[in-house]
Amino acid sequence: MTQKLAGHLLVECLIAQGVTHAFGVPGESYLAVLDGFHTHADRIRFVINRQEGGAAFMAEAQGKLTGRPGVCFVTRGPGATNASIGLHTAFQDSTPMVLFVGDVASDARHREAFQEVDYSVFFGPSTGGMAKRVERIDDARRIPEYVARAFATAMNGRPGPVVLVLPEDMLTQPVEGEPLPRVEPVQAWSDPGALRNLRSLLLAAERPMVLAGGSGWTPQAAAALQRFAENWQLPVANTFRFQDTFDNHHPLYAGDMGLGINPALARRIRESDLLLAIGPRLGESTTAGYTLIEAPVPRQKLVHIHASAEELGRVYQPTLAIHATMNAAARSLEVLAAPPEVPWSAWTQACHADYEIHVDVGNYGTVLPGPVDMPAIVHTLQKHLPDDAILTNGAGNFATWLHRFFRYHGLTKGHKTQLAPTNGAMGYGVPAGIAASVLTGRTVFTIAGDGDFLMNGQELATAVQHGARTIILLVDNGTYGTIRMHQEREYPARVSGSDLRNPDFCALARAYGYAALRVEDTAAFEPALTQALQASTGTLIHLPLDPQVITTRSTLNEIRQQALAKGL
């Protein structure tokens, strides 16, 4: 067997796992791996990022899109800590990901060497960290074992991130070895007795509702979920930032749970007598601070289906807990025998009617200040974006316009179409969109706030270098909008730390190599969007917004008045 550098063997192990792209910022601590990427450039591509946070976000988006671990490489110390934001996103979003960290040499360890960090403490699950597993590879001969285990850990159970630490002297060792075979995720099937109990609960219900979301969904699983809902005529709500789990155009769709939830949907959930949660963790944002579903014992009967047994009963004590992965669960549910008629047909129709009213831009009652009508802007997106377009966003009040008024095509159409961070990480949308364009070549649309964009806008250089073509709508209100909203509620008319002085965004985008258009009113947006869709490069559309336009439900003046009326 021919000897090779350990760094080259590591790259071969990634290729064996089906990895076609790895994202990262180069570091001297893993030069042998970079040399391996050069050797195997015809089979795997190293996407060079400008900051490790952007690289980690791109890898997280890769995991969401493919269902297999996204891969990120960073150097020790500052590189690893910069990447932690993407790792935290992968952890809370249950996204499979592997972060490789080039580390200090073995003979310098435990001396607080240059940029040394104890990654088991910083990232490790035993310390309440951000990764499912943290391991250091000291023996180059065991690289195939560690890589295969990292991929299996990242995908199985509740998906999530794994960290592999790579001492630089280990990577330069000559080694004999071959990659292990591609790892596939294990499917956990629903217990037949639990399915019989579920059927009994459904037959006894009067106002049931499905809550679908979380990770692990494939187009096949989503199609099986749709058939189950159709067989039983069940209303389906998608959970926070998993709005593409169930087709928003389907007559059984009831809307999405999360920030800015439709009050009518919130009422329906509270009135429901049976909630069937398939896939989601039922976190704080999905449950409106654990009020839609009370913890630890819900008012409603709760059936919770999740890929990780550890998540079942962790926050909520369900009436029935079912340990199953989404592919297996959905395929079991679609063959669950339904009665000829169900007593809740009118309930299901009413749930969908509530959604239709909420999503109709004509029913938006607030007259927004300024010349820009955000509901109409989103309606224009719906009109022109192709069905398989990928939409990305970071965190901020600007995202609520997209969440409320855009109808996502579900995974049943064959593609994932939403990339958004459930952990509320600002700066996610731009790099996630770039990764989606690099990986798929499909149309990618990103909506970003001004503060949100400036956290990772430098990745436009990455986009241009690697041929990504995204459309970015930069909604600029000159403030950290979400913080300002809360500030006006708690400390009205006392602005502190939330105003922004911004650059010329169009000039900045052009400097990176993007086309740029400035749109100042609603009518100008449609021609700008059609021009961007036809452009050969990425395009940034700069949309200045009156700072009073802060949320889909209230303006700043209304928030101030409400706060002052309460004596705040």
Side-chain angles (χ1 to χ4, degrees):
M1 188 178 295
T2 305
Q3 286 193 331
K4 64 194 80 173
L5 286 180
H8 287 214
L9 175 59
L10 178 62
V11 173
E12 292 174 5
C13 289
L14 294 178
I15 293 170
Q17 293 302 326
V19 179
T20 58
H21 295 76
F23 301 90
V25 175
E28 67 274 17
S29 58
Y30 66 96
L31 291 176
V33 176
L34 294 174
D35 192 66
F37 283 128
H38 183 273
T39 297
H40 298 288
D42 59 332
R43 293 193 288 171
I44 189 168
R45 180 177 174 188
F46 182 65
V47 178
I48 307 165
N49 289 90
R50 300 311 190 266
Q51 205 263 4
E52 292 87 355
F57 278 147
M58 290 193 189
E60 197 278 345
Q62 181 183 27
K64 275 192 170 85
L65 280 170
T66 66
R68 296 188 62 82
V71 173
C72 181
F73 279 85
V74 298
T75 196
R76 59 201 176 211
T81 54
N82 278 345
S84 64
I85 187 171
L87 206 70
H88 183 264
T89 304
F91 190 85
Q92 289 220 326
D93 288 41
S94 302
T95 304
M97 175 179 168
V98 180
L99 175 68
F100 292 90
V101 180
D103 196 23
V104 301
S106 301
D107 60 0
R109 192 179 179 200
H110 294 154
R111 292 176 172 175
E112 198 182 342
F114 181 60
Q115 299 182 332
E116 184 177 9
V117 169
D118 187 334
Y119 301 105
S120 293
V121 174
F122 188 73
F123 291 127
S126 63
T127 54
M130 296 169 272
K132 292 182 69 176
R133 184 189 292 270
V134 179
E135 294 187 328
R136 176 186 172 94
I137 308 178
D138 288 310
D139 185 345
R141 295 171 298 178
R142 297 179 63 187
I143 286 174
E145 171 194 340
Y146 278 97
V147 172
R149 180 163 58 241
F151 272 68
T153 303
M155 289 187 289
N156 287 324
R158 174 185 166 186
V162 173
V163 177
L164 287 183
V165 182
L166 312 171
E168 61 179 323
D169 57 327
M170 181 276 296
L171 291 172
T172 59
Q173 293 174 5
V175 63
E176 293 181 353
E178 297 296 330
L180 291 175
R182 175 183 168 108
V183 175
E184 298 295 344
V186 175
Q187 297 298 315
W189 286 85
S190 310
D191 172 60
L195 291 172
R196 288 193 294 271
N197 292 338
L198 168 58
R199 186 173 186 273
S200 297
L201 288 170
L202 279 168
L203 292 174
E206 296 179 358
R207 297 176 303 281
M209 182 174 291
V210 173
L211 313 179
S215 66
W217 290 94
T218 64
Q220 295 76 19
L225 170 66
Q226 179 174 310
R227 289 189 288 271
F228 165 65
E230 290 168 347
N231 291 342
W232 287 84
Q233 285 299 292
L234 293 166
V236 180
N238 288 333
T239 58
F240 181 53
R241 290 184 169 166
F242 288 102
Q243 288 174 250
D244 59 353
T245 308
F246 193 86
D247 190 351
N248 299 183
H249 299 77
H250 197 280
L252 295 176
Y253 186 57
D256 69 290
M257 304 168 66
L259 306 180
I261 187 173
N262 180 2
L265 175 59
R267 186 177 64 253
R268 296 283 181 187
I269 293 170
R270 291 190 175 100
E271 292 175 350
S272 173
D273 60 357
L274 177 63
L275 296 177
L276 177 51
I278 310 176
R281 288 193 298 115
L282 298 177
E284 182 179 7
S285 296
T286 287
T287 61
Y290 308 106
T291 61
L292 289 180
I293 310 172
E294 293 181 1
V297 181
R299 294 189 309 273
Q300 313 94 327
K301 290 181 179 178
L302 173 65
V303 176
H304 196 180
I305 302 176
H306 200 276
S308 170
E310 287 76 13
E311 287 300 317
L312 298 169
R314 181 181 179 189
V315 177
Y316 292 101
Q317 297 299 309
T319 308
L320 176 63
I322 299 178
H323 177 210
T325 51
M326 294 308 97
N327 283 332
R331 288 167 64 185
S332 296
L333 292 172
E334 73 168 319
V335 296
L336 195 67
E341 294 182 359
V342 294
W344 55 75
S345 295
W347 158 264
T348 299
Q349 293 169 10
C351 289
H352 180 69
D354 291 340
Y355 168 72
E356 291 290 349
I357 292 170
H358 189 64
V359 78
D360 187 343
V361 297
N363 292 325
Y364 187 69
T366 303
V367 178
L368 300 176
V372 175
D373 182 348
M374 285 303 299
I377 294 288
V378 178
H379 179 73
T380 302
L381 292 176
Q382 194 82 65
K383 176 181 176 183
H384 288 283
L385 291 181
D387 289 352
D388 68 346
I390 301 168
L391 289 90
T392 78
N393 62 266
N397 274 15
F398 64 87
T400 61
W401 302 105
L402 195 64
H403 294 346
R404 172 169 175 177
F405 291 109
F406 193 85
R407 295 183 182 223
Y408 290 87
H409 287 279
L411 280 164
T412 51
K413 301 292 184 182
H415 302 285
K416 184 162 182 61
T417 55
Q418 183 186 35
L419 298 176
T422 68
N423 72 331
M426 292 182 68
Y428 178 87
V430 170
I434 293 167
S437 180
V438 169
L439 292 166
T440 71
R442 287 152 53 193
T443 298
V444 178
F445 177 86
T446 297
I447 184 169
D450 43 342
D452 178 73
F453 174 83
L454 285 172
M455 289 194 175
N456 273 312
Q458 77 283 343
E459 298 302 340
L460 293 191
T462 301
V464 172
Q465 180 172 349
H466 292 277
R469 176 179 167 269
T470 66
I471 300 171
I472 300 171
L473 176 62
L474 200 164
V475 181
D476 174 12
N477 63 359
T479 185
Y480 285 120
T482 302
I483 308 305
R484 182 72 175 276
M485 179 185 72
H486 291 293
Q487 191 172 59
E488 292 289 352
R489 181 180 292 118
E490 303 298 328
Y491 304 97
R494 294 177 60 84
V495 179
S496 177
S498 54
D499 277 345
L500 297 174
R501 180 174 178 176
N502 288 321
D504 182 335
F505 285 114
C506 287
L508 182 62
R510 293 187 188 108
Y512 282 121
Y514 259 48
L517 302 165
R518 182 180 171 94
V519 169
E520 297 187 350
D521 57 48
T522 306
F525 177 71
E526 186 166 23
L529 178 63
T530 56
Q531 182 177 335
L533 286 167
Q534 296 166 4
S536 59
T537 66
T539 302
L540 182 142
I541 301 174
H542 181 207
L543 183 69
L545 199 65
D546 191 305
Q548 300 294 326
V549 182
I550 204 69
T551 174
T552 57
R553 291 180 293 174
S554 304
T555 66
L556 280 181
N557 280 333
E558 290 170 339
I559 291 170
R560 289 193 193 104
Q561 292 168 5
Q562 292 166 8
L564 291 171
K566 295 177 182 177
L568 297 177

